[in-house]
Amino acid sequence: MMATLKRMKAWNLPTHLILILVCTVMIYPIVWWLGASLKTNAEMSLPGIFPSDPQWSNYVKGWTAIPDYTFSRFFANSFIIELFSVTGSVVSASLVAFGFARVNFRYSKLWFALLMLTMMIPSQVIVIPQYVMFSDLNWINTYLPIIVPHFFGGGGFFVFLLVQFIRSIPRELDESAKIDGCTTFGIYFRIIMPLVKPALVTVAIYSFLWTWDDFFQQLLYINSVEKFTVGLALRLFMDSQSTVEWGQMLSMSLLSIIPSVIVFFLAQKQFIEGIATTGLKG
């Protein structure tokens, strides 16, 4: 027994050392980022991660650096988009996935195959047609081009993820619910949705992260500064100053990742379960 424990410890030591090394390499850029956010422009080129005199005022000054606006406005705009985008993705993707996984209708396999093919179309191909369509609808300089598509399935990846999860749930549960008088929508809402909670959390997290990091669409459709998101505000930060205060900009960019980190850590258990068990239950 003791010999076995010694062998396990001997094997775990190099493994732990490798993990520590990998974690250090991954965390270093964030540590440097934090240190740089506390520096002045003159200290940026000096050696060392942290300055001798940390400039915590960079966070205060950076918050109000853009004329007539503060980052409170930009964070609020981003959260408005996130609220509707995440809600739309979760609701519409779950409904579409339930239809493909549980409802028998004509040409269902063909439609599902076409939906999967949309995942292979480069997003650059549809930029111009989408812009022309939204322009004809007078949606330019609004959040609608960013939000509304989330209410139409949320994307092929989300539907595929949920379909695989729902198919792993025994159909006997549906039949039992029908015997008890449950409607099709009742089966979706009362039976299927509680069982696919990990997958729904996964969809919500992906939708949040992808929308929060989506700089291109926001740049394409939003023109007014008062409607800018955090990503656009960081870009405006460079244009609004004759000499860019890098410490202030880095401090605001560091704050911009905090919502994503909080969302992930609050839901990491369900997220990991949703990824690990998709298509494997049953």
Side-chain angles (χ1 to χ4, degrees):
M1 183 68 179
M2 294 298 295
T4 303
L5 290 175
K6 289 182 179 180
R7 285 197 299 269
M8 290 179 62
K9 290 180 179 179
W11 182 83
N12 285 333
L13 180 60
T15 302
H16 290 161
L17 290 176
I18 292 174
L19 290 175
I20 292 172
L21 177 61
V22 172
C23 290
T24 302
V25 172
M26 296 180 67
I27 293 175
Y28 175 78
I30 299 178
V31 176
W32 181 92
W33 192 357
L34 174 61
S37 70
L38 301 174
K39 293 181 178 181
T40 62
N41 279 4
E43 292 178 300
M44 283 295 175
S45 58
L46 298 179
I49 298 178
F50 291 99
S52 57
D53 183 20
Q55 301 294 315
W56 295 102
S57 59
N58 283 347
Y59 287 85
V60 178
K61 294 177 181 178
W63 194 264
T64 58
I66 297 178
D68 301 324
Y69 298 98
T70 68
F71 269 81
S72 301
R73 181 62 176 268
F74 305 131
F75 272 97
N77 293 340
S78 295
F79 283 124
I80 290 173
I81 294 175
E82 291 291 343
L83 175 64
F84 288 101
S85 298
V86 172
T87 302
S89 294
V90 172
V91 173
S92 62
S94 61
L95 281 170
V96 174
F98 176 78
F100 279 121
R102 284 297 199 259
V103 179
N104 296 320
F105 58 94
R106 196 173 186 182
Y107 304 126
S108 60
K109 292 183 178 180
L110 173 63
W111 291 117
F112 186 69
L114 291 175
L115 179 65
M116 293 300 98
L117 285 175
T118 61
M119 297 172 59
M120 304 179 188
I121 300 176
S123 58
Q124 295 83 355
V125 174
I126 60 176
V127 167
I128 295 177
Q130 278 187 336
Y131 187 89
V132 172
M133 178 181 68
F134 292 140
S135 179
D136 291 340
L137 293 172
N138 293 320
W139 284 5
I140 303 301
N141 200 30
T142 70
Y143 298 145
L144 293 177
I146 303 172
I147 293 174
V148 171
H150 290 274
F151 285 86
F152 289 87
F157 173 75
F158 293 155
V159 175
F160 174 76
L161 180 71
L162 290 172
V163 165
Q164 297 303 107
F165 207 99
I166 294 173
R167 283 176 177 173
S168 67
I169 300 173
R171 284 184 175 269
E172 287 78 4
L173 294 176
D174 300 21
E175 296 170 0
S176 299
K178 288 181 180 178
I179 293 174
D180 292 336
C182 198
T183 62
T184 301
F185 184 78
I187 294 172
Y188 158 79
F189 188 73
R190 298 182 179 182
I191 306 298
I192 301 300
M193 289 302 99
L195 294 176
V196 300
K197 181 180 176 181
L200 293 177
V201 172
T202 302
V203 169
I205 292 177
Y206 271 125
S207 179
F208 183 94
L209 296 179
W210 290 348
T211 305
W212 189 269
D213 296 336
D214 183 13
F215 176 80
F216 179 72
Q217 285 200 86
Q218 298 168 7
L219 179 65
L220 188 63
Y221 295 115
I222 302 175
N223 303 325
S224 302
V225 176
E226 63 181 358
K227 297 179 182 179
F228 273 13
T229 60
V230 175
L232 294 179
L234 290 174
R235 180 64 184 86
L236 180 63
F237 202 109
M238 300 180 64
D239 298 333
S240 61
Q241 298 177 336
S242 57
T243 301
V244 179
E245 293 293 337
W246 292 105
Q248 297 177 20
M249 182 176 178
L250 289 172
S251 65
M252 292 302 99
S253 63
L254 187 61
L255 291 180
S256 72
I257 71 170
I258 291 179
S260 300
V261 174
I262 292 175
V263 167
F264 177 78
F265 278 104
L266 288 178
Q268 63 175 326
K269 181 179 178 181
Q270 291 84 355
F271 174 75
I272 294 172
E273 182 181 351
I275 292 295
T277 60
T278 299
L280 299 180
K281 284 189 175 182

